[in-house]
Amino acid sequence: MRPFFRWAICAIGLANLCVWSACCQADLPLQPYASYWKPDDEPNSLKDYVYDWDPDAQFNKGSVPLASRFTNPALQANPNARANQARVMSLAAFDSTSNNPSQGSDTSRYYAFNNWQYLDAMVFWGGSAGEGNILAPNGPVIDAAHRNGVPVYGTIFLPPNVYGGDIDRLSDLVSESRGGRYPLADKLIEIAEKNRFDGWFFNQETSGADSGLAQQTIDFLQYIQDNSDLEMIWYDSMLENGNISWQGELNSFNNGFFEGSSTNDRASDSMFLDFRWNANKLNNSASYAEALGRDKYEIYAGVDVEGSGWDQSRVSMSDLFPNGGDHRASLGLYRPEWTLNSTSTVEQFYERDNQFWVGANADPRDTSGSVGSRGWKGLANYVPEKSPITDGPFVTNFNMGQGNHYWIDGMVSRRGEWNNLSLQDVVPTWRWLIDAPSNPLTPEIDFGIAYYGGSSLRVSGNLTSQNDLRLYMTNLPVTAETNLQVAFKTDVAASDSNMEVLVAFTDDPTNFTAVPVGASSGGGWELATLPLGDYAGKTIAQLGFRFDGTDDDYGINIGRLGVIDGEADPVAPPTNLALLDYAEVNDRQYTMRLEWQHSADYAPDDSNEVYNYNVYEVVDGRRVFLGGTLNNSFFVRNLIAPTRRNLVTVEVVSISNEFGESTASSFDLIWTNLPNELAGDYNNDGVVDLGDYTLWRDNFGGEAGTLTNNPYTSSIGMLQYNLWKENFGATAAAVVGTLNVPEPSSCTLLLAAGLAVGWYRRR
């Protein structure tokens, strides 16, 4: 495979020229990035890396527990799809290796993947010889995948020599220490466990190894198996004799990296075959896997989407998925973000991505058509959809994790483009299943308006007959207190919605009960609560909407669909909100690093009751949304100083799984009191050291103004202590670059600012 370099190049030699790219978007002072390393080369040596000393680490944690998923044969959309056979793995690059923001960015043009229902494994692809060979996933991708029931893997990529590969890096990586330990394997285990992702994809394509180094690599893989619950994925490249030779199959030359020398000697949990497979090789692989006591569907046949899109000429999908026969192996997709990179707008991306996954007809039941020159039918033709909605409450706002603005309760709370997959809701199980005798309406994701987030579901067209839109496969118990919640906005104010919620129960999963929504009372968003208590004791198998009536220009936006018990209950608030650090972008814009203690109702398992935390700036009593996360650390990209007042309040609230909102944890900032040089330097001597701790201790409980370089207005306490602790060891000279970053008029300036900030971020 090819190394992943930055996909946009900055014209450094041209003054005041900035080619739009990830680098121009992301290089803000204090910006945390996804972590990447080389095994034992500076900068960013994994050998020398200490997780607890990395100031970016806390911003890269995944916080959403991995959901369990299920299928329901009675509701399977496509008759060709085969349950419990092939799985689907994606190797997707969400940004560059070295400049991958930890918690989203200020552009809506982003690979906000949203067909999780067909995916079984997401590899956070990246790595290069120049930047780093090892890339850990960022928190938003972990969160979105886990919310939709999909595990996430980091990447270890040792490239071919022509792309800078150096066999010494493999030797460094798999080096064994005294006592039979593998120090860098221990580091990989620690990083994955602390950041809560699920394993590593290992792609070793560097030439120069011998059989001894190959065996050491196998031992390294087995060490991770024996010392963690992580899953390892091996890429078909290196042979047991150390040579690089892509086989396109599992065989006696490479099986050691899969199952070791015998059965019950597991080295990796699955193998991704290079793009050289065919029907015969897949049959051989299946036989070989079964002889080793392994499942043939742990073998993934790779498809080069980046190189060929859906016009696949190197491989035949019918070799993998024979018509009318069992699948020969699972499917591995290399760089399917081609659906974004080959389009120019977010709307075009959604159309192409839906064709790639669902098929030409945008109907997972009907994959009779195809796209491209090679008859691409879409993944819905082969694998059944899966759902993570296994228990209540369930609420979706049809928020896809990107948008042009951010709405809260029907009102714009943040203006400007954004992306953050941590905020993506569970995506619809089917896009789209709509039944109508004629003139079916058109469902689509609408980024022009939302109830909560950046998008809503829009349904429009010539309404001439009953239209049934199936959306979600569920397993939701109903009690006497259960209610449906629906937020909707009709195109015509104060008009009948012509809409009912469709509910089917597990005792008759294809027979719908229709619950009327009613009319809108005005021209804005309506939030309707519809009791389901009459069906207590039943379990909801699917949810959707019915549209009925006559309207030649019908249109409605749906911004929430929920199943909750009673009202939307709040959860406990976060506590001890602290400003860890801040930096000035210009005379009115600041960035900040925040931290707080989790709500008492948060848990890292399926007992968690917190959906996410909302972060606000409050000026003159008006809240402005700064961002959201389920992490308890957050990077604020754009805090704007008020023009008429010197005071701003920063708040963090907990949002429950029912979208109830807690009280706030907050602090006040007085702009004129913000430190001019070094936050935490309470004695103003140019260094944050024990002298500042002594001054803090001696003034504990006193007035805030007693300490210089203290941004807080509250009495001296733990907020000031945490600020001192975070900045301990920093000097005023090192911070100058973060406080005087030039405006982003060119990539040259941004890169220079990045160099100035670099030491500070990694102190």
Side-chain angles (χ1 to χ4, degrees):
M1 295 183 186
R2 292 171 292 280
F4 180 47
F5 299 109
R6 297 177 68 166
W7 52 266
I9 299 174
C10 292
I12 295 177
L14 301 179
N16 299 318
L17 174 64
C18 183
V19 180
W20 188 93
S21 68
C23 71
C24 298
Q25 286 288 313
D27 282 344
L28 290 170
L30 300 181
Q31 169 73 60
Y33 296 95
S35 299
Y36 59 95
W37 306 268
K38 299 169 186 174
D40 190 16
D41 289 288
E42 296 295 344
N44 293 343
S45 162
L46 180 63
K47 181 180 179 181
D48 297 333
Y49 178 73
V50 179
Y51 184 95
D52 293 335
W53 293 358
D54 180 0
D56 285 3
Q58 67 192 88
F59 298 91
N60 284 313
K61 291 181 179 179
S63 303
V64 176
L66 178 61
S68 59
R69 298 197 299 179
F70 71 99
T71 59
N72 187 338
L75 300 178
Q76 181 175 309
N78 196 294
N80 299 316
R82 290 180 172 258
N84 303 314
Q85 293 195 17
R87 305 158 199 165
V88 182
M89 179 187 298
S90 170
L91 278 60
F94 290 85
D95 211 315
S96 58
T97 297
S98 59
N99 205 39
N100 199 322
S102 297
Q103 295 177 316
S105 62
D106 292 334
T107 176
S108 63
R109 183 171 171 77
Y110 183 76
Y111 186 58
F113 179 70
N114 54 80
N115 279 286
W116 301 103
Q117 66 271 33
Y118 302 114
L119 192 66
D120 298 282
M122 172 62 79
V123 176
F124 193 79
W125 177 256
S128 69
E131 296 168 297
N133 305 97
I134 303 162
L135 177 64
N138 63 23
V141 172
I142 300 170
D143 287 346
H146 281 187
R147 181 167 281 136
N148 286 279
V150 176
V152 180
Y153 304 84
T155 300
I156 304 167
F157 179 41
L158 300 166
N161 301 63
V162 68
Y163 293 122
D166 181 349
I167 198 61
D168 287 342
R169 292 196 182 177
L170 175 62
S171 181
D172 291 339
L173 179 66
V174 302
S175 177
E176 183 180 8
S177 66
R178 292 180 180 178
R181 301 200 69 85
Y182 290 80
L184 297 196
D186 288 332
K187 293 282 181 76
L188 294 176
I189 292 170
E190 178 192 24
I191 291 163
E193 290 179 345
K194 288 186 174 179
N195 282 3
R196 297 176 185 159
F197 60 93
D198 305 286
W200 294 94
F201 182 97
F202 199 149
N203 180 3
Q204 194 318 82
E205 297 187 82
T206 304
S207 299
D210 57 18
S211 59
L213 185 54
Q215 182 59 51
Q216 196 167 339
T217 303
I218 293 172
D219 295 341
F220 175 89
L221 290 167
Q222 291 173 339
Y223 178 88
I224 294 176
Q225 297 281 354
D226 293 341
N227 289 276
S228 74
D229 293 325
L230 300 182
E231 293 187 352
M232 298 299 293
I233 305 166
W234 179 257
Y235 177 67
D236 160 34
S237 50
M238 187 166 72
L239 307 183
E240 292 179 33
N241 64 10
N243 291 340
I244 299 298
S245 178
W246 301 271
Q247 300 294 290
E249 65 178 320
L250 173 67
N251 57 30
S252 61
F253 299 110
N254 61 18
N255 75 281
F257 300 99
F258 183 60
E259 185 55 36
S261 58
S262 62
T263 58
N264 300 316
D265 194 15
R266 178 175 296 229
S268 61
D269 297 276
S270 53
M271 179 181 284
F272 189 105
L273 300 181
D274 184 69
F275 322 126
R276 291 166 169 82
W277 51 268
N278 54 39
N280 185 53
K281 286 187 173 183
L282 294 181
N283 287 334
N284 292 341
S285 298
S287 298
Y288 212 97
E290 289 167 358
L292 292 170
R294 298 287 294 272
D295 184 351
K296 69 178 182 179
Y297 296 119
E298 294 170 350
I299 305 297
Y300 289 79
V303 172
D304 184 6
V305 182
E306 180 193 43
S308 302
W310 47 45
D311 295 324
Q312 292 296 318
S313 58
R314 296 179 64 181
V315 296
S316 170
M317 296 298 283
S318 62
D319 283 351
L320 176 60
F321 301 126
N323 188 28
D326 287 346
H327 300 160
R328 291 192 168 102
S330 291
L331 172 65
L333 300 170
Y334 176 64
R335 304 290 303 278
E337 77 277 9
W338 165 83
T339 56
L340 173 69
N341 297 336
S342 60
T343 55
S344 57
T345 68
V346 172
E347 290 75 17
Q348 290 173 351
F349 156 57
Y350 272 74
E351 179 181 4
R352 176 158 291 198
D353 203 56
N354 201 47
Q355 290 175 323
F356 183 87
W357 290 90
V358 177
N361 300 322
D363 182 341
R365 293 169 300 191
D366 179 11
T367 49
S368 58
S370 63
V371 290
S373 62
R374 298 282 176 166
W376 185 270
K377 287 186 169 295
L379 277 299
N381 186 67
Y382 310 111
V383 295
E385 53 282 327
K386 302 178 182 71
S387 172
I389 310 170
T390 58
D391 199 2
F394 166 68
V395 177
T396 177
N397 299 300
F398 303 98
N399 182 15
M400 307 305 281
Q402 61 194 149
N404 299 318
H405 307 290
Y406 201 94
W407 284 260
I408 292 180
D409 294 335
M411 303 295 292
V412 174
S413 186
R414 177 197 187 276
R415 295 195 177 276
E417 295 183 13
W418 65 277
N419 70 78
N420 185 349
L421 276 172
S422 287
L423 303 178
Q424 185 186 70
D425 294 329
V426 173
V427 298
T429 311
W430 303 289
R431 296 211 303 276
W432 304 99
L433 290 183
I434 190 160
D435 294 313
S438 62
N439 297 324
L441 298 175
T442 300
E444 59 187 333
I445 299 298
D446 186 354
F447 293 97
I449 191 169
Y451 181 72
Y452 207 113
S455 51
S456 61
L457 170 63
R458 178 164 176 79
V459 181
S460 60
N462 183 7
L463 180 59
T464 60
S465 60
Q466 178 178 297
N467 282 247
D468 286 355
L469 175 63
R470 294 168 53 193
L471 287 173
Y472 286 97
M473 180 167 60
T474 68
N475 191 25
L476 296 170
V478 179
T479 72
E481 305 298 321
T482 300
N483 291 319
L484 290 167
Q485 276 200 337
V486 182
F488 67 99
K489 183 179 184 298
T490 56
D491 282 4
V492 179
S495 64
D496 195 322
S497 68
N498 291 319
M499 182 172 70
E500 299 169 298
V501 181
L502 294 181
V503 182
F505 301 102
T506 53
D507 56 357
D508 191 1
T510 60
N511 183 33
F512 285 112
T513 297
V515 183
V517 173
S520 61
S521 59
W525 285 99
E526 311 271 347
L527 182 61
T529 299
L530 312 173
L532 284 181
D534 289 347
Y535 306 98
K538 290 181 175 289
T539 300
I540 300 173
Q542 60 173 321
L543 289 166
F545 289 100
R546 174 170 292 165
F547 309 92
D548 203 358
T550 303
D551 187 340
D552 61 4
D553 191 21
Y554 179 75
I556 191 169
N557 282 78
I558 304 161
R560 175 170 293 174
L561 173 61
V563 179
I564 67 174
D565 279 352
E567 300 298 320
D569 295 323
V571 287
T575 56
N576 297 327
L577 173 63
L579 171 63
L580 298 180
D581 217 338
Y582 81 97
E584 183 180 282
V585 178
N586 54 52
D587 59 358
R588 290 201 60 230
Q589 180 186 353
Y590 290 78
T591 65
M592 289 186 172
R593 290 186 172 203
L594 303 177
E595 182 183 62
W596 55 87
Q597 289 184 1
H598 273 297
S599 162
D601 292 310
Y602 171 78
D605 54 36
D606 58 10
S607 66
N608 174 50
E609 297 181 32
V610 182
Y611 195 78
N612 66 268
Y613 301 101
N614 281 357
V615 183
Y616 296 104
E617 174 184 8
V618 185
V619 180
D620 294 331
R622 185 177 68 88
R623 278 178 167 176
V624 176
F625 183 72
L626 296 175
T629 181
L630 189 55
N631 198 338
N632 65 331
S633 302
F634 188 70
F635 174 66
V636 176
R637 300 175 58 81
N638 191 16
L639 185 73
I640 302 298
T643 56
R644 292 179 296 176
R645 293 193 61 185
N646 196 28
L647 176 70
V648 65
T649 299
V650 176
E651 292 185 347
V652 178
V653 300
S654 306
I655 305 299
S656 75
N657 289 331
E658 298 178 334
F659 275 78
E661 184 173 291
S662 76
T663 56
S665 181
S666 65
F667 61 76
D668 293 329
L669 286 175
I670 297 177
W671 292 102
T672 54
N673 285 357
L674 283 172
N676 292 321
E677 291 294 336
L678 182 58
D681 180 18
Y682 298 140
N683 60 12
N684 207 32
D685 66 353
V687 61
V688 180
D689 55 15
L690 290 176
D692 303 299
Y693 169 80
T694 301
L695 195 60
W696 167 82
R697 182 195 61 196
D698 293 346
N699 288 279
F700 189 89
E703 295 293 328
T706 307
L707 303 179
T708 59
N709 296 315
N710 168 30
Y712 299 111
T713 59
S714 58
S715 59
I716 296 169
M718 294 308 296
L719 288 176
Q720 290 83 357
Y721 171 78
N722 288 332
L723 184 65
W724 168 83
K725 181 178 70 171
E726 175 66 18
N727 287 346
F728 184 81
T731 62
V735 184
V736 171
T738 69
L739 296 178
N740 297 283
V741 176
E743 294 187 57
S745 58
S746 73
C747 283
T748 306
L749 291 177
L750 279 172
L751 290 172
L755 292 174
V757 174
W759 182 92
Y760 183 53
R761 289 197 306 108
R762 295 176 174 83
R763 64 176 182 272

